[in-house]
Amino acid sequence: MSKFIDDLLKRMALADKIGQLNHPNVDGAETTGAGAAVTEIERRIRRGEVGSLSAGLELGRLNELQRIAIEQSPQRIPLLFTLDVIHGHRTIFPLPLGLACTWEPALVCRTARAAAAEAAAEGVALAWAPMLDVTRDARWGRCAESPGEDPLLCSIFGAAMVEGFQDDDLSRADTVMAAAKHFAGYGLVEAGRDYNAVDASAYRMHNVVLPPFKAAVDAGVGTIMVGFHELAGIPCTAHRELLTGLLRGRWGFAGLIVSDYTAIMELVHHGVAANLKEAALIAFSAGVDIDMASEAYIRHLPELVAEGRIAETEIDA
């Protein structure tokens, strides 16, 4: 596989490579947040400007978009279809908080296995789950999507979900890649207000927040989704120490690091980037691989490479 990838990279233009880092919001898919829907998605796919796409479309439409990718895009690279598969897909299981209350990791694994088979049958390759945010404030609106307040339980739950989604072979037709989210500390937002800031001590981070994510990495999770929020004054999407220093460096994570929905764009609203171009530079330099819905990478990475502020070898990686 590594030789195949190396040969493919040699054939790819810079624009083709950057296209693989772009996850736009396609018109007609179920979406949330501030990102604008992309029109003329077929043209964008033909030009190699789309790497991944929400699977929240009718199946025939997904098949048509995939056909365009594998027959008409510059390098014939298939699209990576993604979807929230939180507690089942067609078969619906209890909410994650309820599943965690069973203290039955084998049962949790079986629910993820069933969900993966159903989602994969509808073209999904990457599920935005499990959510492993330890939360101890009942005011937070996403408590039910979390395994709860205990880091040990969250760790066991996360590993079981990863095993169920991915099994031991992601090339199998009935598996999907898992995405542990939201890295890191998102469940501790001040006053329980979603997207609010987080200020946690090193003790709390390493003993409460991070263990579930480390368990997911040890279980082989393919993707980590970065939180929207600010962590001790630094937005996680801009947090090089967290993403490159800890996740890549100390933990050895080799999978995808994906922004949350429009999170790169929101670096401007956080006040750490003056404009979308600077937001792209900051997020990419911090370690975010895939830009979801902001269109920052597709618009600005080519000129950032041309200016020498980002190396093409970093795009290759």
Side-chain angles (χ1 to χ4, degrees), residues 41-241:
I41 193 66
E42 293 88 352
R43 179 180 62 83
R44 299 281 300 271
I45 294 170
R46 287 189 184 97
R47 290 169 53 171
E49 296 176 355
V50 180
S52 45
L53 206 60
S54 171
L57 298 168
E58 190 270 332
L59 189 56
R61 175 93 162 116
L62 294 182
N63 285 336
E64 174 62 16
L65 296 178
Q66 190 69 283
R67 185 191 65 77
I68 292 171
I70 63 176
E71 294 180 2
Q72 300 176 34
S73 69
Q75 300 300 333
R76 311 298 195 258
I77 300 172
L79 297 168
L80 188 72
F81 286 120
T82 72
L83 196 68
D84 279 318
V85 183
I86 307 300
H87 55 110
H89 184 59
R90 293 298 179 181
T91 303
I92 301 301
F93 299 102
L95 288 164
L97 187 60
L99 286 174
C101 287
T102 67
W103 278 89
E104 291 277 358
L107 177 62
V108 170
C109 180
R110 285 170 57 200
T111 68
R113 182 88 293 280
E118 291 179 354
E122 296 188 0
V124 178
L126 171 55
W128 301 126
M131 190 179 97
L132 300 179
D133 300 308
V134 174
T135 179
R136 295 176 173 176
D137 190 335
R139 296 173 296 181
W140 189 45
R142 299 187 70 170
C143 286
E145 194 182 341
S146 162
E149 64 184 4
D150 184 80
L152 173 61
L153 177 56
C154 287
S155 298
I156 294 169
F157 178 98
M161 290 289 285
V162 170
E163 180 184 349
F165 279 134
Q166 299 187 172
D167 204 41
D168 58 356
D169 184 1
L170 275 173
S171 68
R172 279 179 31 189
D174 62 346
T175 60
V176 297
M177 186 183 292
K181 61 185 189 183
H182 306 82
F183 197 68
Y186 186 53
L188 302 181
V189 287
E190 291 180 1
R193 294 172 179 165
D194 205 16
Y195 300 0
N196 207 355
V198 172
D199 190 1
S201 68
Y203 176 87
R204 176 162 284 193
M205 287 298 297
H206 287 279
N207 288 281
V208 176
V209 170
L210 294 173
F213 291 97
K214 182 60 164 62
V217 170
D218 290 344
V221 71
T223 305
I224 298 288
M225 180 184 283
V226 184
F228 284 112
H229 61 289
E230 185 180 281
L231 180 61
I234 303 173
C236 289
T237 309
H239 209 310
R240 183 172 176 82
E241 181 183 355

